[in-house]
Every structure is written in C-alpha cells, then in structure tokens.
Amino acid sequence: MCDEMKVSVITVTYNTTETIEQTITSVLEQSYKNIEYIIVDGMSTDGTWEKICKYKDQIHKIIHEKDKGLYDAMNKGISLATGDIIGIINGDDWYETDSVENVVNAFHKNIDVIYGNMRMIGCEGIAEQICDYVDIRDIWYSMIPHPTVFVRKCIYNQFGKFDLNYPIGSDYELILRFYSKGVRFQYINKVLANFRRGGLTTDKWFECAREVKEVSMTYIEQCPEKDKYLKSIAER
C-alpha cells in the first residue's frame, strides 16, 4: 500500500441530522489515514450543522452555504480537494472501515477510477441486498454504484465535473462521459459503501430513469456495440 497517496473524501449534506454522524465517523475511523476530509453543507436547518461542528477539528475543510443542488455541492468539494484521488460519500451513507485502504491498494498507474460493491439499506436500517455491478461495459445503459467510486483528481481536471443540466442523473452522465473518453476503470469485489434508500434517485425514480435514458442516447454513437445496447436502453 502506498501511504503517500492522499485521498480526498467529500461529504455533501443537507438536513441529515439522523445520519450525518455515522457518515462522519466512518470517514474519520478509516484504517487508511492519509485522508483529506471535506464537508459541504447546504445550510441545514435541522441540527445537522451543529453535529458537523462537533467534529470540526478533525475535518480539513467545511463549506456552509446555499448551493444549487446536490451536484453543485459536489462540484464545490471537488474544486477544494487536493488529494490524488477523490471519493464522495453523502450524509445518508457510510463507508466500511477499510474502504479507503482497499481502494488505495487497488490503484496503480494504469487505473483512473476504482469502484466496488454497495450494500443497500432499507427504511428500517436492515441490509436488503448487495449491489455488485461488475461489467463496466454495461455503463451504456446502467450505472455503477456511485458511492463506491474513487476518481483520480487529474481526471476531473481533464474531463470536467458534474453537469448541472442533469439534476438527478448527473452522476451517471459523469461516469459515462469518463468511460466514453477512454478513462480506465477497475472493479474490486469488496463492499465499499452502505447506501440508505430514500435519497434523490429513489424518491424521483421515474424522472431519474428519464434522465438516464437521455444521457445514454447522448453518448450511444460512441458505443462500439451500439445496436446491442440500444435494445438494453429501451428495455430499461
């Protein structure tokens, strides 16, 4: 493991008072220690901000201001990040204790993006399933679990951040944009993140599906197996 690799972790949050401390401690208690932690809070009004302040001495950078939505807040965090690689874990979710260590161990010079498995958590806090998306070639119609994604900072610098024209599916557009530009992905068969159902994409499922289809069709001409994936897009 290369202890010299600096990892920036970004948490974006708004009114997550019931869950934000679990998110924060999951980052602060990582087995890998060379982490820059950034929190972007969109002026929470439910006590979230007060809980963040309890850990302010252990958080490297904090933004507390209005934003234009989830992905605008993520872009603010990416702009502040100084790490070699960047991970994003939102205020409803949390990492496994060894997630960053596993990611750093998997990175090498021929890899630009690492992603892994995600545990889905139901309304009662019960683990429902493991999302273990493996084949990155299916990105033309299906998203990898974004909370598990870690990206080299230089990739954001080269290909850009989240596109605010997609208020729900911007994470999908970003990953498909990277892939279509030849960015090199690596899957690791480990649970890296725990995701609570009930977030933006869960609550607005139909609108999310519409955006995903729009993004897919925007990039499909760059797909070497266009006809095959057009069918999959239509089915989804």
Side-chain angles (χ1 to χ4, degrees):
M1 179 174 63
C2 179
D3 291 325
E4 295 180 357
M5 180 175 281
K6 183 178 180 181
V7 180
S8 294
V9 173
I10 299 164
T11 290
V12 169
T13 188
Y14 178 72
N15 286 352
T16 57
T17 187
E18 298 297 326
T19 58
I20 186 61
E21 288 194 85
Q22 184 175 20
T23 306
I24 292 172
T25 56
S26 81
V27 177
L28 298 180
E29 295 174 0
Q30 284 295 301
S31 56
Y32 186 81
K33 298 305 180 184
N34 193 5
I35 294 176
E36 171 188 59
Y37 194 22
I38 300 167
I39 293 185
V40 183
D41 178 68
M43 297 293 286
S44 291
T45 58
D46 68 340
T48 297
W49 173 242
E50 288 74 16
K51 289 186 176 179
I52 292 171
C53 288
K54 288 170 55 178
Y55 301 90
K56 63 181 181 180
D57 292 340
Q58 300 175 72
I59 301 167
H60 298 85
K61 299 172 184 177
I62 301 176
I63 298 178
H64 183 56
E65 63 185 23
K66 291 288 186 181
D67 53 57
K68 299 175 183 177
L70 177 68
Y71 297 111
D72 178 47
M74 289 182 181
N75 284 344
K76 290 179 181 182
I78 293 168
S79 296
L80 286 174
T82 62
D84 301 295
I85 59 177
I86 298 173
I88 300 174
I89 189 76
N90 291 339
D92 290 324
D93 311 321
W94 71 97
Y95 285 139
E96 295 292 291
T97 305
D98 58 354
S99 293
V100 176
E101 181 178 352
N102 285 325
V103 166
V104 170
N105 284 337
F107 261 105
H108 55 79
K109 65 180 180 180
N110 294 321
I111 296 300
D112 301 312
V113 180
I114 294 283
Y115 67 101
N117 300 334
M118 182 172 72
R119 186 180 291 109
M120 307 293 288
I121 308 297
C123 297
E124 302 300 322
I126 299 172
E128 295 181 344
Q129 67 185 89
I130 300 293
C131 181
D132 54 353
Y133 186 112
V134 179
D135 195 343
I136 189 61
R137 292 174 297 181
D138 290 341
I139 193 65
W140 298 103
Y141 70 92
S142 182
M143 177 57 176
I144 60 177
H146 188 251
T148 75
V149 171
F150 287 76
V151 180
R152 289 192 188 274
K153 170 72 169 179
C154 62
I155 297 300
Y156 285 114
N157 293 340
Q158 184 175 359
F159 298 112
K161 300 191 286 291
F162 293 97
D163 185 342
L164 302 189
N165 290 312
Y166 299 100
I168 300 176
S170 187
D171 53 349
Y172 176 61
E173 191 280 332
L174 179 85
I175 297 301
L176 186 50
R177 186 197 325 151
F178 287 170
Y179 185 72
S180 68
K181 298 293 186 181
V183 171
R184 300 161 299 184
F185 286 73
Q186 177 67 51
Y187 164 78
I188 56 175
N189 188 18
K190 294 180 181 294
V191 173
L192 300 179
N194 299 275
F195 175 82
R196 284 188 176 88
R197 294 187 185 274
L200 182 63
T201 54
T202 305
D203 292 343
K204 299 185 176 182
W205 183 90
F206 185 82
E207 190 174 345
C208 179
R210 180 190 59 77
E211 280 194 13
V212 167
K213 182 178 180 181
E214 181 181 340
V215 171
S216 297
M217 297 306 294
T218 298
Y219 286 94
I220 196 62
E221 293 299 329
Q222 301 176 51
C223 177
E225 299 178 274
K226 175 182 173 182
D227 291 340
K228 170 186 173 181
Y229 286 107
L230 276 172
K231 181 180 178 181
S232 297
I233 292 168
E235 289 173 349
R236 282 295 178 100

